[in-house]
Amino acid sequence: MAFHRRRNHYSHRFRYVLPVISVVSGTLLVLLAILSFLTPYPIDSDNLRHRVHRQRSSYNVGVDDAIGPTVFRVPSNGRKLDRDLWTSRNSKYFHGCSNASNKFLKSEAIMHPNRYLAIATSGGLNQQRTGITDAVVAARILNATLVVPKLDQKSFWKDASNFSQIFDVNWFISFLANDVKIVKELPRKGGKTWTPYTMRVPRKCSERCYNNRVLPVLLKRHAVQLTKFDYRLANRLDTDLQKLRCRVNYHALKFTDPIRKMGEKLVHRMRMKSNHYIALHLRFEPDMLAFSGCYYGGGDKERKELGALRRRWKTLHTSNSDKERRHGKCPLTPEEVGLMLRALGYGSDVHIYVASGDVYGGEETLAPLKALFPNFYSKETIASKEELESFSSFSSRMAALDFIVCDKSDVFVTNNNGNMAKILAGRRRYFGHKPTIRPNAKKLYRLFLSKENTTWEAFASKVRTYQRGFIGEPNEVRPGRGEFHENPSTCICEDSVAKEKRDSGPRKYGKADNATRKEEVFDDQNVDDEPDWPESEDDDDQSGLQEKGILDGIGLDNDGVTSEEPELEDMLSD
């Protein structure tokens, strides 16, 4: 009986539950129908997602709400750090100093009247610039009158410009009058054109080398022309000769008025867009990648295209592309450059001027960099075709325009270690230590490989650590280390009074000083690992060939005197 009473009780309650469930279910169905009517069709959402994804590039760039499950989400804003992004720490304590000492006699006291030194430069604009600078010093060593150097008009770039079409020749002669006598051409001999005796000196020829090899010929022939004159002067010389190098490079070599005015116009237009701008020497052209032997994941198509270019240099040995990148011998991709800059604190609002030829892969390759930094400019985008018409047929003049805009930038970023990078790095040190960022490619490469497996915060922290010593701070490189054109330490002086005040003042400078010392150590640990690369429109680095062992043993006699070096199609330009 008890069992039947319990069953009837539950049955009675269940009769009231069923209608309630039916009402609730019906209400939910109505709501779902309304929601499905209001919600866009799934395909539309997918298409939107794909469009946004394409705009942000192949990885999740962008912003804090990046698409996808990855933990590597790149912020759009830069990060406030403990340093100014646009100036070098402690730069106010250093200045360029290249005046001659009292013991450096004036030219009229030492120059011999019947000695003439002519120079034939080699390569692109900046390689030729190093040759011109060193030619003045060579003439001073030999107590000879210098004939205005001949520019290379037959090499890879086949630019027909002469010296006076690139540089202000009258300024060049007058500024250096106290150091070296310079004439525009050889005097006539017996009423006829005087043909000088042609010879070549070894690379890195010292003062003693010139006196032993060239002077005896000069005494006999009275006029000597040194050919292929690039990197033919020793890196280390007497202090007064080093300072003469700086006077030539940083003061005597001034571009002609048309080049200078157009360059200043480009700088002004960048300044009108923003208070600060970065100049990036991207150096990601096909010839650069072919020469370096690097590989960037483009499959058989990339290997075939770059391999065909590479075969133009018959003396290049076959290289292991993975090994080259592991050892920091390859330029960063545009995407990697952008990630490095974002990690260093530069946000998407920063304006970038790019000095580059045709980038390998075109717009597809540039897309990630442009997604990170949409304020992206070049001389072709901020000047009209008509304005560039008188320059565009001459690679050296176009390179000179890029040189000016890069030199005047707040921050210069170089993606290689060729001539333009070295010349500008040295110049920016001399004129106030303006920041010059060089990727620490060897360490960054490993970091880029594993970036998808880490957080942005961890990635950015490591980039900042690896870049210590590679951002253009004073004392990053010890005096005498590296190429003199890149590190003109003899011509950079420290303000002793300001230094004394700094060192004796409150310890507010301690952190900065410690950072500078750390940067110096970091640089010294990596300086020997830095690659020498060929150059683009403004970089022709045959010294890079030599460093890679390509020129070693080629066309050299037993005593190291160059006989006939084979043409590597005159390499590449800056």
Short mmCIF file of all heavy atoms in Angstrom, two decimals, residues 12 23 47 49 91 101 117 127 165 199 217 220 237 248 250 273 306 336 344 357 376 385 388 422 448 462 498-499:
data_model
loop_
_atom_site.label_atom_id
_atom_site.label_comp_id
_atom_site.label_asym_id
_atom_site.label_seq_id
_atom_site.Cartn_x
_atom_site.Cartn_y
_atom_site.Cartn_z
N HIS A 12 1.52 12.33 -9.82
CA HIS A 12 0.76 13.57 -9.72
C HIS A 12 1.67 14.79 -9.95
O HIS A 12 1.33 15.72 -10.68
CB HIS A 12 0.09 13.62 -8.33
CG HIS A 12 -0.70 14.89 -8.12
ND1 HIS A 12 -1.92 15.12 -8.72
CD2 HIS A 12 -0.42 16.00 -7.38
CE1 HIS A 12 -2.37 16.29 -8.36
NE2 HIS A 12 -1.46 16.86 -7.54
N VAL A 23 6.80 24.49 -22.32
CA VAL A 23 6.80 25.94 -22.49
C VAL A 23 8.23 26.48 -22.63
O VAL A 23 8.53 27.30 -23.50
CB VAL A 23 6.07 26.62 -21.31
CG1 VAL A 23 6.26 28.14 -21.37
CG2 VAL A 23 4.60 26.29 -21.33
N ASN A 47 34.97 35.19 -44.80
CA ASN A 47 35.59 36.07 -45.78
C ASN A 47 36.19 37.29 -45.12
O ASN A 47 37.29 37.74 -45.48
CB ASN A 47 34.54 36.53 -46.81
CG ASN A 47 34.20 35.42 -47.79
OD1 ASN A 47 34.95 34.45 -47.92
ND2 ASN A 47 33.05 35.54 -48.45
N ARG A 49 37.29 37.48 -42.10
CA ARG A 49 38.50 37.06 -41.38
C ARG A 49 39.68 36.90 -42.34
O ARG A 49 40.79 37.34 -42.05
CB ARG A 49 38.23 35.74 -40.65
CG ARG A 49 39.46 35.18 -39.96
CD ARG A 49 39.14 34.03 -39.04
NE ARG A 49 38.27 34.44 -37.96
CZ ARG A 49 38.03 33.69 -36.89
NH1 ARG A 49 38.57 32.51 -36.77
NH2 ARG A 49 37.22 34.12 -35.94
N SER A 91 75.92 60.74 -25.77
CA SER A 91 76.50 61.31 -26.99
C SER A 91 76.99 62.74 -26.77
O SER A 91 77.90 63.21 -27.46
CB SER A 91 75.48 61.27 -28.12
OG SER A 91 74.32 62.02 -27.80
N SER A 101 97.60 68.41 -36.23
CA SER A 101 98.46 68.87 -35.13
C SER A 101 99.47 69.90 -35.65
O SER A 101 99.63 70.08 -36.86
CB SER A 101 99.20 67.68 -34.51
OG SER A 101 100.17 67.18 -35.42
N LEU A 117 100.26 62.03 -58.61
CA LEU A 117 99.59 60.76 -58.33
C LEU A 117 98.16 60.82 -58.85
O LEU A 117 97.38 61.69 -58.46
CB LEU A 117 99.56 60.49 -56.82
CG LEU A 117 98.88 59.17 -56.40
CD1 LEU A 117 99.71 57.97 -56.88
CD2 LEU A 117 98.69 59.10 -54.89
N GLN A 127 82.01 52.84 -52.22
CA GLN A 127 83.33 52.21 -52.37
C GLN A 127 84.29 53.22 -52.99
O GLN A 127 85.45 53.32 -52.60
CB GLN A 127 83.23 50.96 -53.23
CG GLN A 127 84.56 50.21 -53.35
CD GLN A 127 84.39 48.83 -53.93
OE1 GLN A 127 83.34 48.22 -53.78
NE2 GLN A 127 85.42 48.35 -54.60
N GLN A 165 80.54 65.80 -61.34
CA GLN A 165 79.09 65.65 -61.42
C GLN A 165 78.50 65.05 -60.15
O GLN A 165 77.29 65.07 -59.96
CB GLN A 165 78.73 64.79 -62.63
CG GLN A 165 79.02 65.48 -63.96
CD GLN A 165 78.86 64.55 -65.15
OE1 GLN A 165 79.33 63.41 -65.13
NE2 GLN A 165 78.19 65.03 -66.18
N MET A 199 99.99 51.24 -62.37
CA MET A 199 100.34 50.12 -61.51
C MET A 199 99.26 49.94 -60.44
O MET A 199 98.31 50.73 -60.37
CB MET A 199 101.70 50.37 -60.83
CG MET A 199 101.74 51.58 -59.92
SD MET A 199 103.36 51.86 -59.15
CE MET A 199 103.51 50.43 -58.09
N VAL A 217 109.01 54.28 -58.23
CA VAL A 217 108.44 54.42 -59.58
C VAL A 217 108.08 55.87 -59.84
O VAL A 217 108.30 56.41 -60.94
CB VAL A 217 107.19 53.52 -59.73
CG1 VAL A 217 106.61 53.65 -61.15
CG2 VAL A 217 107.53 52.07 -59.42
N LYS A 220 111.03 57.96 -60.76
CA LYS A 220 111.51 57.67 -62.11
C LYS A 220 110.55 58.18 -63.18
O LYS A 220 110.97 58.77 -64.18
CB LYS A 220 111.73 56.17 -62.26
CG LYS A 220 112.27 55.75 -63.62
CD LYS A 220 112.49 54.23 -63.67
CE LYS A 220 113.02 53.81 -65.04
NZ LYS A 220 113.23 52.33 -65.10
N LEU A 237 97.06 53.95 -39.25
CA LEU A 237 98.10 54.87 -39.72
C LEU A 237 98.46 55.82 -38.60
O LEU A 237 97.84 55.82 -37.52
CB LEU A 237 97.58 55.68 -40.92
CG LEU A 237 97.20 54.91 -42.20
CD1 LEU A 237 96.49 55.85 -43.16
CD2 LEU A 237 98.43 54.30 -42.86
N VAL A 248 88.93 64.68 -45.13
CA VAL A 248 88.50 64.41 -46.50
C VAL A 248 87.05 63.90 -46.51
O VAL A 248 86.18 64.44 -47.19
CB VAL A 248 89.42 63.38 -47.19
CG1 VAL A 248 88.93 63.11 -48.62
CG2 VAL A 248 90.85 63.85 -47.20
N TYR A 250 84.60 63.72 -44.17
CA TYR A 250 83.49 64.39 -43.50
C TYR A 250 83.38 65.88 -43.81
O TYR A 250 82.38 66.50 -43.46
CB TYR A 250 83.61 64.20 -41.99
CG TYR A 250 83.72 62.74 -41.59
CD1 TYR A 250 84.66 62.31 -40.65
CD2 TYR A 250 82.90 61.79 -42.17
CE1 TYR A 250 84.75 60.98 -40.30
CE2 TYR A 250 83.01 60.45 -41.84
CZ TYR A 250 83.93 60.04 -40.90
OH TYR A 250 84.02 58.71 -40.57
N LYS A 273 56.25 65.16 -42.43
CA LYS A 273 55.35 64.07 -42.07
C LYS A 273 55.42 63.72 -40.59
O LYS A 273 54.43 63.29 -40.00
CB LYS A 273 55.66 62.83 -42.92
CG LYS A 273 55.45 63.03 -44.41
CD LYS A 273 55.85 61.80 -45.20
CE LYS A 273 55.71 62.03 -46.70
NZ LYS A 273 54.31 62.31 -47.09
N LEU A 306 67.92 32.66 -57.83
CA LEU A 306 69.14 33.18 -57.21
C LEU A 306 70.37 32.42 -57.69
O LEU A 306 71.46 33.00 -57.80
CB LEU A 306 69.04 33.12 -55.69
CG LEU A 306 67.90 33.97 -55.07
CD1 LEU A 306 67.96 33.92 -53.55
CD2 LEU A 306 67.97 35.41 -55.55
N GLU A 336 61.58 40.40 -40.61
CA GLU A 336 62.43 40.30 -39.43
C GLU A 336 62.95 41.66 -38.98
O GLU A 336 63.05 41.93 -37.79
CB GLU A 336 63.59 39.34 -39.74
CG GLU A 336 63.16 37.89 -39.88
CD GLU A 336 64.23 37.00 -40.50
OE1 GLU A 336 65.23 37.53 -41.03
OE2 GLU A 336 64.05 35.77 -40.46
N LEU A 344 62.41 46.78 -30.26
CA LEU A 344 63.26 47.84 -29.71
C LEU A 344 62.45 49.05 -29.26
O LEU A 344 63.01 50.01 -28.71
CB LEU A 344 64.31 48.27 -30.73
CG LEU A 344 65.40 47.24 -31.04
CD1 LEU A 344 66.31 47.74 -32.15
CD2 LEU A 344 66.22 46.92 -29.79
N GLY A 357 66.94 49.08 -53.63
CA GLY A 357 66.59 48.82 -55.02
C GLY A 357 65.35 47.94 -55.05
O GLY A 357 64.55 47.93 -54.12
N PHE A 376 55.39 54.26 -44.73
CA PHE A 376 56.52 53.62 -45.42
C PHE A 376 56.81 54.42 -46.69
O PHE A 376 55.95 54.55 -47.55
CB PHE A 376 56.10 52.18 -45.75
CG PHE A 376 57.17 51.31 -46.32
CD1 PHE A 376 57.91 50.48 -45.50
CD2 PHE A 376 57.42 51.28 -47.68
CE1 PHE A 376 58.88 49.64 -46.02
CE2 PHE A 376 58.39 50.44 -48.21
CZ PHE A 376 59.11 49.62 -47.37
N LYS A 385 58.27 61.94 -60.51
CA LYS A 385 59.13 61.39 -61.56
C LYS A 385 59.92 62.50 -62.23
O LYS A 385 61.09 62.31 -62.59
CB LYS A 385 58.26 60.64 -62.57
CG LYS A 385 59.05 59.88 -63.62
CD LYS A 385 58.12 59.08 -64.52
CE LYS A 385 58.91 58.29 -65.55
NZ LYS A 385 57.99 57.51 -66.45
N LEU A 388 62.95 63.58 -60.18
CA LEU A 388 64.04 62.60 -60.16
C LEU A 388 64.63 62.33 -61.54
O LEU A 388 65.59 61.56 -61.66
CB LEU A 388 63.55 61.28 -59.55
CG LEU A 388 63.13 61.31 -58.08
CD1 LEU A 388 62.57 59.96 -57.66
CD2 LEU A 388 64.29 61.71 -57.17
N LYS A 422 78.99 51.16 -43.55
CA LYS A 422 80.21 51.54 -42.83
C LYS A 422 80.43 53.05 -42.88
O LYS A 422 80.74 53.68 -41.86
CB LYS A 422 81.41 50.82 -43.42
CG LYS A 422 81.44 49.32 -43.15
CD LYS A 422 82.59 48.66 -43.88
CE LYS A 422 82.60 47.16 -43.65
NZ LYS A 422 83.65 46.49 -44.44
N PHE A 448 64.39 34.24 -34.28
CA PHE A 448 63.31 34.29 -35.26
C PHE A 448 62.78 32.89 -35.57
O PHE A 448 61.58 32.72 -35.83
CB PHE A 448 63.79 34.95 -36.56
CG PHE A 448 63.98 36.44 -36.44
CD1 PHE A 448 65.16 37.04 -36.85
CD2 PHE A 448 62.98 37.23 -35.91
CE1 PHE A 448 65.33 38.42 -36.74
CE2 PHE A 448 63.14 38.61 -35.79
CZ PHE A 448 64.32 39.20 -36.21
N LYS A 462 64.48 39.45 -25.42
CA LYS A 462 65.72 38.87 -25.96
C LYS A 462 66.30 39.73 -27.08
O LYS A 462 67.51 39.87 -27.19
CB LYS A 462 65.46 37.45 -26.45
CG LYS A 462 65.27 36.45 -25.31
CD LYS A 462 65.13 35.03 -25.83
CE LYS A 462 65.00 34.05 -24.67
NZ LYS A 462 64.86 32.64 -25.15
N ALA A 498 83.13 67.94 -19.33
CA ALA A 498 81.80 67.36 -19.12
C ALA A 498 81.90 65.98 -18.50
O ALA A 498 81.09 65.62 -17.64
CB ALA A 498 81.06 67.29 -20.46
N LYS A 499 82.91 65.21 -18.92
CA LYS A 499 83.09 63.88 -18.36
C LYS A 499 83.40 63.96 -16.87
O LYS A 499 82.87 63.18 -16.07
CB LYS A 499 84.23 63.17 -19.09
CG LYS A 499 84.51 61.77 -18.56
CD LYS A 499 85.73 61.15 -19.23
CE LYS A 499 86.03 59.79 -18.63
NZ LYS A 499 87.27 59.21 -19.18
#
